[in-house]
Amino acid sequence: MSGIQALARMYRRFGGIDAAGKSSLYERVAVALSGSEEAMRAIGAVPARRRHPRVILTALHDLALAGRAPALAAAHAAMDGDAAAGAAIDTLLHMTDEVVAIAVRRRVRTDETGRHAVLYPAIAEAARRTGATAVGLIDPGCSAGFNLTVDRVGITYSDGVSLGDPSSPVRLSASIVAGRSVPTGAMPRVVTRIGIDTEPLDVTDADDARWLRACLWPDRPDRTERLARLEAETALTTTVPPLLLRGDPVRMLPDALTRVPADALPVVITTWTLSRFPPGSRPRFLHHLHEAAAGRPVAWVSAEGVGVAPTIPTLGDRPASGHSIIGLAILDRSAPREVTAEALGRCWSRGRMVAWTADSGSADPGS
């Protein structure tokens, strides 16, 4: 099978399986692209790892949102699959260099908003257990840094508990599905917000903010809701923009840790991040946390798949169980127990459903 044929097969499969039932526009466009040899040759100019339909379709969507592909933008607005298919092919053929440049530079983001309902109570618990009155937040693999506004959002849980800022423009809800309620302690003041990513997105930059919108499929049933939340989180983040460090998140973690003031607790947060790191990077990640804990406590709050976060207990669950573990590790090399690690609970749907299991009233963080 030739390279063009293999590429066409990938696009047909995407349209027939991945987009089917989720986006009639992308279903039609992907199949139409697969049937155009010229289009497949144009996509062949993109480096192999960036030829995936999600990347190319998002690059085309970005051009439409930027006003550079008006026919495609009009077809998206009208939700006209046939018109979108024709406009996508025309845009690709006439703007091949632009599509290639976007595909090479950008990475599709599927986690366009923060994971606040899981992070807020876990960070507050880390501060309570260490007696911290201020925290510095560090998010390796930060994407657009939305996790770093966790103290400024309003969260309501299905059992009536509310956390955060009730006047925040960013409001979200989460269901308590089992276990006890999340702890109600308030998060202390945040004095540092640092994000690390190989390709961080700065939401104060118009192109970066537009790319996040482009990553939302133009006709998904939940697009309106997701776009509204994205816009709200973007606006909130621009009021307290984090320091963004560009580079390998694990390699640059020590630098980020040194930027947290001495009187604040460094809290490293990972939300479905470690699975994107090479397996060999996870021990190095832990090593950097251990090294930073030589002079003061360091906390690590995680929401990762079962067994993905080293040292975090799995509650007896099996990997690939369909849920994730909310973890808290406190590292302090001056303490009798250098590391205390606990599973605070489980979560589903990227934190929209929570089962908190930890006893947040325990005086001994290792108990």
Side-chain angles (χ1 to χ4, degrees):
M1 181 181 295
S2 71
I4 294 297
Q5 290 174 326
L7 194 57
R9 182 179 179 182
M10 179 198 300
Y11 275 72
R12 282 195 302 273
R13 178 179 176 83
F14 179 86
I17 297 177
D18 296 347
K22 300 175 183 175
S23 170
S24 59
L25 285 178
Y26 277 5
E27 180 179 357
R28 182 70 184 89
V29 170
V31 172
L33 289 172
S34 74
S36 168
E37 185 172 342
E38 286 183 298
M40 290 296 98
R41 292 191 183 281
I43 294 171
V46 179
R49 63 190 177 88
R50 299 292 180 122
R51 294 175 188 168
H52 192 276
R54 289 183 185 271
V55 179
I56 301 303
L57 293 174
T58 304
L60 291 168
H61 192 192
D62 186 56
L63 290 171
L65 291 176
R68 302 175 67 189
L72 183 58
H76 284 174
M79 295 191 182
D80 186 333
D82 290 336
I89 292 174
D90 287 344
T91 302
L92 177 61
L93 297 183
H94 288 95
M95 303 182 72
T96 301
D97 290 346
E98 289 87 343
V99 173
V100 171
I102 294 171
V104 168
R105 179 185 172 209
R106 297 294 195 182
R107 177 160 53 92
V108 175
R109 311 289 178 142
T110 57
D111 55 344
E112 74 276 358
T113 56
R115 315 304 190 190
H116 311 299
V118 167
L119 290 175
Y120 191 107
I123 295 170
E125 182 67 7
R128 185 191 72 81
R129 295 188 184 195
T130 58
T133 58
V135 297
L137 303 180
I138 300 172
D139 186 1
C142 69
S143 185
F146 290 140
N147 281 345
L148 297 168
T149 62
V150 58
D151 59 313
R152 305 191 69 212
V153 305
I155 312 161
T156 302
Y157 298 87
S158 61
D159 62 353
V161 169
S162 294
L163 297 176
D165 180 1
S167 65
S168 174
V170 176
R171 302 286 306 170
L172 61 132
S173 59
S175 298
I176 299 294
V177 297
R180 50 176 62 90
S181 182
V182 299
T184 57
M187 188 186 306
R189 63 191 178 95
V190 177
V191 297
T192 308
R193 306 170 199 268
I194 303 172
I196 319 170
D197 206 313
T198 53
E199 300 172 22
L201 293 174
D202 179 358
V203 297
T204 65
D205 179 87
D207 290 344
D208 283 0
R210 187 184 63 246
W211 177 253
L212 283 171
R213 296 194 300 273
C215 290
L216 294 176
W217 293 10
D219 64 334
R220 278 190 63 135
D222 60 352
R223 175 177 168 78
T224 300
E225 175 187 349
R226 293 177 68 179
L227 182 59
R229 181 175 170 187
L230 172 61
E231 297 288 2
E233 292 210 37
T234 297
L236 182 63
T237 303
T238 60
T239 66
V240 283
L243 171 64
L244 297 175
L245 303 180
R246 182 180 297 272
D248 177 78
V250 175
R251 183 177 60 82
M252 299 191 71
L253 183 57
D255 177 33
L257 286 160
T258 63
R259 294 172 185 259
V260 177
D263 59 350
L265 171 71
V267 181
V268 178
I269 53 180
T270 65
T271 54
W272 299 279
T273 302
L274 296 185
S275 59
R276 301 199 301 267
F277 293 169
S281 293
R282 297 175 199 175
R284 288 194 294 115
F285 171 83
L286 268 182
H287 172 74
H288 291 325
L289 296 181
H290 279 279
E291 289 295 302
R296 59 175 172 176
V298 174
W300 169 32
V301 168
S302 60
E304 303 283 354
V306 178
V308 172
T311 77
I312 300 299
T314 62
L315 300 174
D317 302 338
R318 295 180 298 175
S321 296
H323 63 268
S324 300
I325 301 293
I326 306 167
L328 171 60
I330 297 175
L331 303 90
D332 185 354
R333 290 169 61 183
S334 67
R337 297 178 63 184
E338 183 176 333
V339 182
T340 60
E342 183 178 353
L344 300 177
R346 302 176 176 89
C347 64
W348 294 259
S349 299
R350 293 299 200 240
R352 293 180 179 86
M353 301 169 64
V354 177
W356 195 271
T357 60
D359 179 2
S360 301
S362 173
D364 178 6
S367 64

